[in-house]
Structure formats: C-alpha cells, structure tokens
Amino acid sequence: GPPITTREDLIPKLDAAIEEIRSAAESSGCAFIDAEQYSDASKLTSDQIHFTKTGGEEIAEGVFNEMFNARIT
C-alpha cells in the first residue's frame, strides 16, 4: 500500500484506497505490503505527498526487505 501523507484532505481517500488495494491483493492471492510502516512524516516534502530522497530510499529499503524476507521464508 502507499506511504503516509499528512494532508488532511487526502487521508480519507488514502485510507479507502489502501483498503481497496489490500482487498484486491488478498482476493487474488497476492501479498500486501503496507509501505506506511516504513514512512516517516518528517521526511515529506512541502506538498505533504512526496518524500525527500532519503525518505523515499527508506520506504524502498523497507519494502524490498519485506519482499526479500518473504521470498526466503
């Protein structure tokens, strides 16, 4: 699922989208990785949607590690 946002106008829409993505993944037998757990709101840019280079790298590393660990277990 997508990472966090701090924009109040997007939070309800993002929550609904995450549930749709989670449901679609589960119903088709796919894993769902929640990128929110790897998101650090202090690393959002001024638009409160996109992450800084460091923030994006941390999300990518977390998701990659989760995918890699799932593959070898």
Side-chain angles (χ1 to χ4, degrees), residues 14-65:
L14 184 61
D15 290 344
I18 290 169
E19 288 312 309
E20 288 288 326
I21 295 166
R22 183 189 311 272
S23 177
E26 290 173 357
S27 69
S28 58
C30 295
F32 175 83
I33 298 175
D34 188 359
E36 185 172 346
Q37 63 186 318
Y38 304 113
S39 305
D40 179 350
S42 72
K43 294 185 178 139
L44 282 164
T45 61
S46 61
D47 69 5
Q48 300 177 354
I49 299 171
H50 299 98
F51 286 83
T52 62
K53 182 176 187 280
T54 302
E57 288 170 347
E58 289 173 0
I59 295 167
E61 183 177 343
V63 171
F64 173 83
N65 288 336

